[in-house]
Amino acid sequence: MKHFALSAACLASLAAAAPPAALPFMETVNGIPLADEYRWMEDPAKAAELSAWVLSESSTAHASLRALPERGAFAAALREVSSDLTKVRDVQVAGPVTVFRRTAAGDKTAKLIVRENGKERVLIDPNTVQGSVVAIGSVSLSPDGKLVAVHQSKGGAEVGDITLYDVATGQAVGAPIPNIWSEFALQWLGDDWVSYTQMAPAGSRADPITGMRTFLKRVSDAGPGQPVFGFESQGPAFAEKDFPAVRGTPWSEWVLATGGGARVDVNYWIARKADLTAGKPAWTVLATLDDKANDADVFGNAAFVLTTKTNPSGAIVRRTLNGPGLGEPATVFEGGARLVLTGLIVAKDGIYAAAQTDGVTRLFYSPDGQRKFAEVKLPLEAGDILDPHVNVDGSGATLGLMGWVSNARSYALAKGRITDTGIGSQTWDGARGMQVDRMQARSADGTMVPLVVLHRKGPLPKGGMPTILEAYGSYGVSSTTPVYWRDFMAWLSRGGAMAFCGVRGGSERGRAWHEGGRSANKPNGHADFIACAQTLKAKGIAKPKGVVGMGTSAGGALVPPAALKQPGAFAGLVPRVAVLNTSRLAAAPNGANQFDEFGDPATPEGFKALLAMDAYQALTTATDMPDTLITIGLNDKRVAPWMSAKFAARAQARFGDRRKIWLRAETDGGHGHGTAEEARAAEYADIFAFAWDRAR
């Protein structure tokens, strides 16, 4: 009776919240008529009105979530299994100096630690800054280990400054470099030469994630660098929506320039470093998008390109750099039916090729890229390689590995051997009590879809367990690769099951698997996710009510549409910072960058593809939907918060009389990067309490 009283109170509080204005608006796009009564939420002039409604909704959601019976227990579990345990990432080595980011109990965000001659000290502690939460986004150690470039941003917004610090004293050196996206670490081309990618000046563009340029600078020179690559810079023609970068190493005479974005394939150019620093780079095309290259590097006088043009599982192609042009391509290593190549790590001691078999990482080594690639035995069944960094002297590399029940540890690579550095994150002791089950689900067209389930060891409980099912399904990112989800351990500790569906659109089975769920093929991913949900019920893993489907970021184009197509398979829905209105990508910051993956709205076929994965528009024809908790960060620069607001408003108008539709906003958070520990833990406590209440 107590539970029903709480639920009634929650419903009463929701009913008291004033609905947002629904202003009639119709348009016809490529012959398709569309209603969009919440279009006003996109208007910057209406930002205050939108914010007031979102914050009102969020206040209601927070109060209702805190009243859920299991919320306190999940908050306590999250402290025990996650917040109170040390997390380490981004280990880099220069001779006797090692730097890394570490988050310990009580920290809001990670500190930068220096280890030298066996002793550790804190170099930068963002937790001491008053006001909005400050987080370190990237770290780049200089070749001599004397300087470190550190990106810092506020409020989870990801756009911030790069500052150089003296490793010995911790003092800032020179002026900060402003307006840097956190993913773009400063690149050391030598002891004095660096390159960095900078966004266009704030407020100068409708879409702030366009028009980026790469700059070259001497550290010893005061003032900003000179633009050398990217949009409207010297060098090759460059797409406005692409992300430029120039990278190299102190020991190589070559530099690579890249044009990437939210897609698998990358454009590559190559030039001599001496020509670049002299201001006269002669860029040679190494690979175009037609070559389907997704990684490249240089070893000696040869370039190595990882491509899926002729082999959907990947092939490494070698081209000599002697003479005026590129030598003929020669394939030196290929993937196969059970081996998907995923990346390259190139140091002075040789070439490492990363690969996966059913999502599990494997590593291969050749001392020169021409002799046979031999497999390097890894110390655990690991997922994606984390934070790979070639040692600045080229002697080897560091990388992180984690598994389903093993948190990340740092390992050193040298001459084809891997050793533990002694630096790593803490694993919750209870993780040893969890088991990992691999199975498959049959999709609507007969395709067998990989499915991984984590739960307590032992027989399945009669009647099943509360189960969360997650998938991503975009950019060729695998959903069934072993990852230690430290927060999800709290869900497992309470007796829930956590499942991951390897839908098409990921990379579980190579390039063809990605293409099978990309753009116009996204409905295949919807069907795959529904099949995974139904399989979990049929096998007695999930409760008869069904699973709670969770989709984060690009997962918003996958999970919510699937739940709207088959609401009976889902006990609940959790879109996190999600892309929920894909047909409006052209109006969204960071929207144009997504066209290659999702579809170009300027073309009839592209717009049709976007509409087929648009959860907001799918609400108009849906007959029902599960109870839903939508989470957003108001400082999100990757996915426009108005997408979630529009979805929440329309969902409440259509189904709010019989379904709970909660919108939870984080005022000092963004897309998740740089969010304070307590804010992250509070979000997951709310999600788990909601999911348990729905799926038990």
Side-chain angles (χ1 to χ4, degrees):
M1 292 297 294
K2 182 178 179 181
H3 170 67
F4 293 120
L6 284 168
S7 296
C10 292
L11 289 171
S13 65
L14 282 171
L23 306 178
F25 180 88
M26 288 290 300
E27 66 177 345
T28 299
V29 183
N30 292 313
I32 303 171
L34 295 173
D36 194 353
E37 65 276 17
Y38 300 105
R39 176 69 62 88
W40 66 266
M41 292 185 176
E42 301 175 19
D43 186 355
K46 299 283 188 179
E49 184 178 346
L50 173 61
S51 180
W53 179 74
V54 168
L55 291 175
S56 175
E57 283 294 309
S58 185
S59 178
T60 298
H62 277 287
S64 301
L65 290 162
R66 283 195 297 269
L68 292 174
E70 293 292 323
R71 207 280 180 183
F74 277 117
L78 280 157
R79 286 192 296 272
E80 177 186 352
V81 309
S82 182
S83 298
D84 287 347
L85 302 182
T86 298
K87 177 185 175 183
V88 172
R89 292 292 296 271
D90 219 11
V91 178
Q92 298 177 45
V93 177
V97 176
T98 299
V99 299
F100 53 91
R101 290 182 289 161
R102 182 170 66 198
T103 310
D107 291 338
K108 290 183 178 181
T109 59
K111 300 172 183 175
L112 183 61
I113 307 298
V114 175
R115 176 181 286 186
E116 191 171 8
N117 299 321
K119 296 182 179 180
E120 289 184 3
R121 53 190 165 87
V122 176
L123 188 71
I124 299 174
D125 184 1
N127 300 281
T128 61
V129 179
Q130 299 299 311
S132 187
V133 174
V134 175
I136 296 172
S138 67
V139 177
S140 300
L141 186 61
S142 69
D144 58 11
K146 293 181 179 179
L147 296 174
V148 61
V150 183
H151 178 280
Q152 297 176 81
S153 59
K154 294 182 178 181
E158 297 188 73
V159 180
D161 300 341
I162 286 180
T163 303
L164 290 173
Y165 291 91
D166 186 298
V167 171
T169 66
Q171 296 298 307
V173 177
I177 305 171
N179 217 28
I180 305 290
W181 188 258
S182 62
E183 286 188 3
F184 297 105
L186 180 140
Q187 301 290 314
W188 292 92
L189 308 182
D191 287 330
D192 198 34
W193 285 104
V194 298
S195 67
Y196 59 89
T197 296
Q198 191 172 45
M199 301 172 69
S204 66
R205 312 185 69 80
D207 184 346
I209 317 295
T210 59
M212 295 188 187
R213 296 186 296 173
T214 296
F215 292 75
L216 186 69
K217 172 182 169 58
R218 278 185 183 272
V219 174
S220 57
D221 291 343
Q226 295 298 313
V228 294
F229 189 72
F231 183 62
E232 294 184 343
S233 296
Q234 61 171 309
F238 197 87
E240 182 179 10
K241 66 183 177 64
D242 277 1
F243 300 157
V246 173
R247 57 184 172 90
T249 59
W251 64 86
S252 175
E253 65 175 293
W254 300 95
V255 289
L256 281 173
T258 63
R263 60 172 182 256
V264 170
D265 302 322
V266 181
N267 289 300
Y268 289 96
W269 295 264
I270 193 164
R272 292 185 183 275
K273 188 194 309 180
D275 293 340
L276 177 67
T277 56
K280 299 178 181 179
W283 295 109
T284 297
V285 175
L286 181 60
T288 69
L289 296 183
D290 290 338
D291 293 309
K292 297 184 178 180
N294 54 67
D295 205 354
D297 215 325
V298 177
F299 182 85
N301 281 319
F304 291 83
V305 179
L306 174 56
T307 170
T308 57
K309 184 174 183 177
T310 59
N311 183 338
S313 294
I316 298 174
V317 175
R318 180 183 185 274
R319 303 189 72 174
T320 60
L321 301 174
N322 295 320
L326 298 172
E328 290 298 312
T331 299
V332 296
F333 190 43
E334 287 195 86
R338 297 273 297 160
L339 187 71
V340 178
L341 303 189
T342 58
L344 295 169
I345 301 173
V346 178
K348 288 174 71 175
D349 68 314
I351 298 169
Y352 299 86
Q356 289 186 350
T357 296
D358 293 337
V360 177
T361 284
R362 298 167 67 183
L363 194 64
F364 296 82
Y365 167 77
S366 170
D368 56 10
Q370 298 185 81
R371 281 173 278 181
K372 181 181 177 181
F373 280 79
E375 186 158 10
V376 179
K377 182 175 175 57
L378 299 181
L380 73 159
E381 183 182 272
D384 291 334
I385 290 175
L386 307 171
D387 309 322
H389 292 287
V390 176
N391 298 344
V392 291
D393 63 0
S395 59
T398 57
L399 53 80
L401 296 175
M402 64 167 59
W404 289 117
V405 294
S406 304
N407 208 345
R409 290 196 63 78
S410 173
Y411 295 88
L413 287 176
K415 297 181 179 179
R417 295 182 177 85
I418 187 167
T419 56
D420 194 324
T421 66
I423 302 172
S425 304
Q426 287 181 285
T427 298
W428 172 54
D429 288 342
R432 292 193 294 267
M434 304 302 161
Q435 75 180 54
V436 181
D437 294 333
R438 291 184 176 271
M439 57 191 74
Q440 295 188 94
R442 184 181 297 276
S443 195
D445 63 359
T447 300
M448 300 306 294
V449 180
L451 176 61
V452 176
V453 185
L454 280 70
H455 59 85
R456 286 176 176 167
K457 288 180 178 178
L460 296 176
K462 187 176 180 180
M465 299 167 280
T467 301
I468 294 175
L469 175 65
E470 182 161 38
Y472 190 70
S474 291
Y475 316 120
V477 174
S478 171
S479 295
T480 56
T481 293
V483 174
Y484 183 82
W485 297 99
R486 61 185 183 126
D487 295 314
F488 292 168
M489 289 296 160
W491 176 259
L492 298 175
S493 76
R494 301 287 299 163
M498 192 72 216
F500 300 89
C501 181
V503 301
R504 281 169 283 186
S507 64
E508 279 80 355
R509 291 171 185 159
R511 181 62 179 255
W513 195 255
H514 172 224
E515 294 296 338
R518 186 180 71 84
S519 192
N521 293 324
K522 182 63 72 175
N524 287 335
H526 300 156
D528 296 347
F529 194 76
I530 291 167
C532 284
Q534 293 171 331
T535 297
L536 291 167
K537 285 179 64 174
K539 288 183 174 290
I541 296 170
K543 294 274 190 178
K545 288 182 179 180
V547 303
V548 172
M550 185 155 68
T552 301
S553 191
L558 173 78
V559 176
L564 292 172
K565 288 179 178 180
Q566 199 70 253
F570 299 90
L573 173 63
V574 182
R576 296 184 61 246
V577 293
V579 180
L580 294 168
N581 192 189
T582 46
S583 66
R584 293 294 295 159
L585 275 178
N590 196 32
N593 185 43
Q594 314 299 316
F595 293 171
D596 291 324
E597 177 66 23
F598 294 123
D600 187 344
T603 66
E605 61 275 13
F607 186 77
K608 185 178 179 181
L610 291 168
L611 199 57
M613 64 182 85
D614 190 316
Y616 172 71
Q617 289 297 341
L619 285 167
T620 61
T621 56
T623 58
D624 198 3
M625 71 181 297
D627 289 346
T628 300
L629 171 60
I630 306 154
T631 74
I632 57 174
L634 296 185
N635 294 329
D636 194 340
K637 304 300 183 186
R638 291 179 185 248
V639 178
W642 51 253
M643 287 198 180
S644 292
K646 288 174 67 175
F647 181 82
R650 181 175 273 184
Q652 287 178 3
R654 286 223 61 204
F655 302 111
D657 59 336
R658 61 187 187 274
R659 296 296 182 195
K660 295 178 181 178
I661 314 292
W662 290 336
L663 177 62
R664 181 195 188 279
E666 192 65 52
T667 57
D668 201 23
H671 201 64
H673 306 265
T675 298
E677 282 288 306
E678 67 251 29
R680 176 199 49 73
E683 179 192 359
Y684 274 107
D686 288 345
I687 289 171
F688 293 157
F690 168 82
W692 195 272
D693 195 59
R694 304 274 52 79
R696 63 181 181 162

